[in-house]
């Protein structure tokens, strides 16, 4: 009968508290890394889809004036407010 000696691995088997403690630690570490990766990906995705086009308020005001949505008086008032 062949007997394989497991003495070298006794610290990691089910008979020792270190085995389940190591497993629990690895599981917590894995979940923590997964959560951090998901948060990073969600933040990056949200940055790209926040609806901002990179235009300043002054750019929008000039476009509205050029399109005839506002008159000269309103344009001058709003431009003055933006510069203050």
């Amino acid at each position: 009968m062949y007997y394989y000696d497991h003495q070298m691995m006794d610290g990691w088997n089910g008979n020792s508290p270190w085995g389940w403690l190591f497993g629990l630690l690895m599981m917590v570490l894995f979940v923590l890394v997964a959560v951090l990766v998901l948060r990073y990906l969600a933040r990056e995705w949200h940055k790209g889809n926040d609806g901002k086009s990179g235009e300043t308020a002054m750019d929008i005001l000039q476009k509205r004036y050029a399109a005839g949505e506002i008159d000269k008086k309103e344009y001058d008032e709003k431009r003055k407010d933006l510069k203050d």
Side-chain angles (χ1 to χ4, degrees):
M1 182 169 171
Y2 180 74
Y3 175 74
Y4 186 76
D5 189 9
H6 292 284
Q7 288 179 356
M8 188 171 87
M9 296 296 287
D10 275 347
W12 301 106
N13 65 13
N15 297 331
S16 170
W18 299 112
W20 66 265
L21 187 62
F22 179 74
L24 180 66
L25 181 66
M26 287 294 111
M27 189 178 350
V28 168
L29 186 65
F30 175 78
V31 169
L32 181 65
V33 168
V35 166
L36 291 175
V37 167
L38 289 175
R39 281 187 65 193
Y40 172 77
L41 291 175
R43 188 174 295 156
E44 289 299 314
W45 179 79
H46 184 68
K47 278 184 191 176
N49 295 323
D50 62 357
K52 293 182 181 175
S53 61
E55 291 182 314
T56 64
M58 189 61 77
D59 293 336
I60 295 169
L61 180 64
Q62 289 172 348
K63 283 184 179 181
R64 289 186 63 200
Y65 179 63
E69 294 177 20
I70 56 175
D71 61 3
K72 173 83 169 134
K73 180 182 173 189
E74 188 176 356
Y75 172 76
D76 289 336
E77 289 171 3
K78 292 184 184 298
R79 190 181 70 188
K80 182 179 177 231
D81 289 342
L82 289 173
K83 290 194 179 203
D84 289 339

